[in-house]
Amino acid sequence: MGKVIVMKHPLIQHKIGWIRRTTTGSRDFRGIVSEIAMLMCYEATRELELEEIEIETPICKTKAKELKGKKLAVVPILRAGLGMVEGMLTMIPAAKVGHIGLYRDPETLEPVEYYCKLPEDCAEREVFVVDPMLATGGSAVAAIRMLKDKGVKNIHFMCVIAAPEGVKAMEEAHPDVDIYIGGLDERLNDHGYIVPGLGDAGDRIFGTQ
Ligand code: PRP
Ligand code: URA
């Protein structure tokens, strides 16, 4: 059974307060989302397995620890997930990056798929799907379904803000996936926006509105 982990780290909470503010412009918004992703990555990778290897320092042979087995991949859900990639790669520079393009139909709130390009060996990797917002959960559920259809088994989902409705949808559709959340909000409004939330993450990252 996957875990739902809401981040408690004070730096993450402080930075989320800044991106929620209407007065935070695109440049700062982008920078802070990236910093949050970096901090969340640090927290979300706590349980990666290590193995002991032998290395040689300039002084002598010794034992060191190395990440065991599976290599990692980061898969942002376009567009807003792109804002989390740099922060993730700062922590895990060797990770490969796949892209899944989905947008939410504004009328039905259903996800519409328009792009999917994954690393060739994605099925063998431990995959972190990233998207700042988990609202109805439609986009995350569909993205993870796409990954599973391509044989990916080890999947984690990271979002900056989640609504309880989205968490429930994910738990029902993908009970095996761990969910890492920066801040768990109150609810969705009638337009499917998270309350209090931060507005439209893609528009705020890319300055499109
Ligand atoms: C936003 C957000 C998520 C989705 C969350 O993307 O980045 O992908 O909405 O909503 P859901 O949980 O109800 O599916 P959007 O569809 O606005 O596309 P964009 O990133 O291209 O702006
Ligand atoms: N997508 C966003 O960008 N913001 C929300 O509040 C909900 C979905």
Side-chain angles (χ1 to χ4, degrees):
M1 184 71 177
K3 300 185 286 284
V4 178
I5 296 120
V6 183
M7 304 279 155
K8 293 194 180 67
H9 198 293
L11 284 176
I12 296 177
Q13 299 312 315
H14 176 85
K15 288 171 192 292
I16 288 177
W18 276 100
I19 55 171
R20 286 189 192 280
R21 287 167 164 85
T22 319
T23 46
T24 301
S26 277
R27 192 199 320 186
D28 288 337
F29 191 96
R30 256 198 313 274
I32 301 168
V33 166
S34 192
E35 291 167 3
I36 293 170
M38 191 172 71
L39 293 165
M40 287 188 67
C41 180
Y42 176 78
E43 294 279 346
T45 49
R46 264 181 197 287
E47 286 176 27
L48 290 180
E49 274 186 79
L50 290 170
E51 65 186 341
E52 205 167 65
I53 53 158
E54 192 166 270
I55 58 158
E56 207 166 332
T57 75
I59 310 299
C60 65
K61 287 191 172 162
T62 186
K63 302 230 185 310
K65 303 250 200 268
E66 195 170 76
L67 287 176
K68 185 177 175 185
K70 292 188 194 61
K71 300 293 176 209
L72 306 180
V74 179
V75 176
I77 302 178
L78 307 181
R79 288 176 300 166
L82 287 175
M84 297 176 72
V85 173
E86 195 188 309
M88 296 290 293
L89 291 180
T90 304
M91 288 283 109
I92 328 171
K96 294 272 196 294
V97 181
H99 295 86
I100 291 182
L102 288 173
Y103 70 88
R104 216 168 58 145
D105 183 295
E107 302 297 323
T108 64
L109 301 183
E110 289 298 316
V112 182
E113 177 190 333
Y114 62 89
Y115 191 72
C116 182
K117 182 83 180 169
L118 301 172
E120 230 174 334
D121 58 353
C122 205
E124 280 84 58
R125 288 179 179 262
E126 185 134 354
V127 175
F128 286 82
V129 178
V130 296
D131 190 328
M133 308 306 276
L134 179 67
T136 64
S139 304
V141 166
I144 291 167
R145 171 56 46 217
M146 286 162 74
L147 289 171
K148 286 184 174 174
D149 287 348
K150 292 188 187 299
V152 184
K153 287 181 190 66
N154 293 290
I155 305 175
H156 310 260
F157 178 73
M158 278 177 54
C159 62
V160 178
I161 306 281
E165 294 88 334
V167 176
K168 186 162 177 277
M170 276 285 289
E171 286 181 312
E172 281 170 11
H174 301 298
D176 53 314
V177 172
D178 290 339
I179 307 172
Y180 297 92
I181 300 169
L184 183 58
D185 278 11
E186 287 165 25
R187 61 185 170 88
L188 295 177
N189 69 14
D190 293 342
H191 305 286
Y193 276 87
I194 300 176
V195 180
L198 47 73
D200 187 303
D203 283 342
R204 294 200 62 186
I205 289 172
F206 297 109
T208 38
Q209 213 164 55

